[in-house]
């Protein structure tokens, strides 16, 4: 199982906080988000990480070099087109460098480490972590469900049809990772590099 962390974006919505600091290095509780993510991955038993960087890539590279975490092997992949693309393109670069099952995490998300372990234990070929609490956040990645099965993902789903918010943790295995690679590749070949990867998952 390879973990993919998408951390190429410039975080324009955070204004002056990310003018020269990548979102994944913003400290929360005194510790950068990226450090917390890597520590949780190590505790969950993950060993191989592909980290996609772009904006302020050298700062992230230096941070990773200074702070080795447990048994993790972190491979950095550069999205040199980060300013003109979105996270679907970053994910395509990471998937090109992986084989087998993958766990996908957004580089600026904070989450309980137990969620990674739950993803690993889930018997489904593919899984998403969904927050079922209400009210939904304003920019929620909304999901519809049929029992425990996610049937659609998207920010445009009306609130009254949404069962919850996909928080940005996904796992693909059992052959679904190959379907994801094919779909992501189709979007990139079609020039849709400005899309969010959840559109391809959907």
């Amino acid at each position: 199982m390879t973990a993919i962390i998408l951390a190429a974006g410039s975080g324009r919505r955070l204004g002056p906080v990310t003018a020269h600091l990548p979102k994944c290095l913003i400290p929360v509780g005194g510790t950068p988000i990226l450090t917390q993510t890597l520590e949780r991955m190590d505790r969950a038993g993950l060993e191989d990480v592909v980290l996609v960087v772009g904006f302020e890539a050298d700062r992230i590279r230096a941070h990773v070099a200074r702070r080795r975490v447990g048994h993790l092997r972190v491979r950095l992949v550069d999205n040199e087109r980060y300013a003109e693309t979105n996270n679907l393109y970053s994910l395509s670069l990471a998937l090109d460098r992986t084989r087998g099952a993958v766990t996908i995490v957004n580089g600026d998300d904070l989450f309980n480490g137990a969620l990674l372990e739950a993803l690993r234990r889930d018997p489904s070929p593919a899984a998403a972590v969904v927050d079922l609490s209400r009210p939904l956040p304003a920019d929620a990645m909304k999901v519809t469900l049929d029992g425990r099965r996610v049937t659609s993902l998207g920010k445009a789903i009306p609130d009254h049809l949404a069962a919850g918010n996909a928080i940005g943790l996904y796992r693909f295995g059992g052959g679904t990772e190959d379907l994801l690679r094919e779909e992501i590749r189709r979007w990139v070949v079609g020039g849709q590099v400005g899309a969010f990867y959840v559109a391809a998952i959907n």
Side-chain angles (χ1 to χ4, degrees):
M1 173 80 69
T2 300
I4 294 172
I5 303 175
L6 302 174
S10 59
R12 289 187 298 270
R13 288 179 295 178
L14 292 177
V17 174
T18 53
H20 302 288
L21 183 70
K23 289 185 291 182
C24 67
L25 294 186
I26 293 173
V28 176
T31 304
I33 294 171
L34 178 60
T35 300
Q36 296 186 50
T37 297
L38 292 173
E39 288 172 348
R40 287 168 183 153
M41 288 178 170
D42 183 54
R43 284 196 296 272
L46 295 167
E47 295 180 353
D48 185 36
V49 176
V50 173
L51 173 60
V52 185
V53 297
F55 175 72
E56 294 287 342
D58 288 342
R59 289 187 73 162
I60 299 174
R61 190 172 281 106
H63 180 83
V64 170
R66 281 194 312 268
R67 300 174 187 240
R68 301 204 59 91
V69 176
H71 296 95
L72 288 181
R73 178 176 73 118
V74 181
R75 297 179 282 151
L76 277 81
V77 174
D78 283 285
N79 177 358
E80 296 176 354
R81 299 177 61 191
Y82 72 88
E84 62 186 90
T85 62
N86 211 321
N87 62 17
L88 180 140
Y89 185 72
S90 289
L91 181 57
S92 75
L93 297 175
L95 290 172
D96 284 346
R97 290 160 177 82
T98 64
R99 294 292 174 266
V102 294
T103 295
I104 303 167
V105 177
N106 295 320
D108 58 344
D109 285 347
L110 274 176
F111 54 88
N112 188 316
L115 295 174
L116 283 176
E117 296 169 24
L119 270 182
R120 292 189 71 193
R121 289 192 308 269
D122 191 288
S124 308
V129 177
V130 177
D131 179 359
L132 301 176
S133 63
R134 295 284 178 157
L136 293 168
D139 65 343
M141 183 55 64
K142 291 172 273 194
V143 302
T144 58
L145 297 176
D146 179 5
R148 287 178 39 90
R149 181 174 176 268
V150 174
T151 53
S152 63
L153 285 157
K155 294 191 175 187
I157 295 170
D159 278 11
H160 71 280
L161 296 179
N165 175 34
I167 68 166
L169 286 171
Y170 302 91
R171 180 187 46 74
F172 293 88
T176 63
E177 72 276 19
D178 294 326
L179 295 174
L180 178 64
R181 283 186 180 91
E182 290 171 16
E183 186 66 13
I184 293 283
R185 191 172 296 120
R186 189 175 69 80
W187 283 62
V188 171
V189 168
Q192 296 171 289
V193 295
F196 290 102
Y197 69 85
V198 293
I201 291 173
N202 196 45

